[in-house]
Amino acid sequence: MSGKNKDVKFTKGKSVNIETLKVENLDYERFKNFFLSILFRTDISTFEEFSDINLGPYHEKIRKIVYENMMTDDLEFQLNILKLDKNSEFDQLIVQPFRSKLGTETCYSFLLKGYLIVINFKENKISKTMKENRLKQNGEIIIPVIPKSTERKFFLTYLDLQ
């Protein structure tokens, strides 16, 4: 197995003046469980750099998903991806999972070489805003592209540093 799925299809588009990338035919369960497994492993890690990750009441549910390869609904642990502009200052960074808190809303994120992966554990204002762009059970996801001109403001807001 090469790890590449030749059936995965990419289509560029636009949504409300934002460039998007539509990805189809992903292996929903495998793709989603991969990111949940990273979160779970950081939650159980004793390394200081992962101390910000605390799955709390979701720990056992995610453990079962990871170890028993359980299927979840696409709104349960909603997974969204945002792509940074190809000229981004951050497009080569790999940042360990981190917790973001916007007001009272909490989510967990990863920054992986130009892609921001966001996982919301429960429905909230953020997840509702990104609901249509989530990874869906049919293997589709719409990935908005954050323009270089707005990325700095976006990250400052996202990381609650404003």
Side-chain angles (χ1 to χ4, degrees), residues 40 43 55-65 68:
F40 179 75
D43 183 50
L55 303 180
Y58 301 101
H59 173 90
E60 184 58 22
K61 174 82 176 193
I62 293 175
R63 185 193 68 74
K64 283 186 173 189
I65 291 167
E68 297 173 19

Side-chain angles (χ1 to χ4, degrees), residues 88-99:
S88 169
E89 296 175 40
F90 307 104
D91 73 334
Q92 294 301 307
L93 289 177
I94 297 175
V95 177
Q96 68 198 36
F98 59 93
R99 182 179 51 169

Side-chain angles (χ1 to χ4, degrees), residues 88-126:
S88 169
E89 296 175 40
F90 307 104
D91 73 334
Q92 294 301 307
L93 289 177
I94 297 175
V95 177
Q96 68 198 36
F98 59 93
R99 182 179 51 169
S100 295
K101 197 161 180 76
L102 295 169
T104 60
E105 318 294 347
T106 299
C107 61
Y108 290 91
S109 305
F110 314 76
L111 186 58
L112 302 172
K113 294 199 68 144
Y115 292 89
L116 178 67
I117 291 83
V118 180
I119 300 173
N120 282 286
F121 286 7
K122 60 184 180 179
E123 187 176 66
N124 55 47
K125 285 189 283 188
I126 297 165

Side-chain angles (χ1 to χ4, degrees), residues 23 26-29 31-33 35 73-75 78-81 130-142:
V23 183
L26 286 169
D27 182 332
Y28 168 82
E29 184 177 358
F31 193 74
K32 185 173 182 179
N33 289 1
F35 291 109
D73 179 84
D74 55 24
L75 290 173
Q78 180 178 312
L79 186 131
N80 293 88
I81 301 176
M130 301 190 310
K131 186 176 183 177
E132 291 308 311
N133 297 339
R134 75 188 183 279
L135 174 64
K136 296 180 179 88
Q137 284 178 303
N138 65 2
E140 289 182 11
I141 187 168
I142 296 174

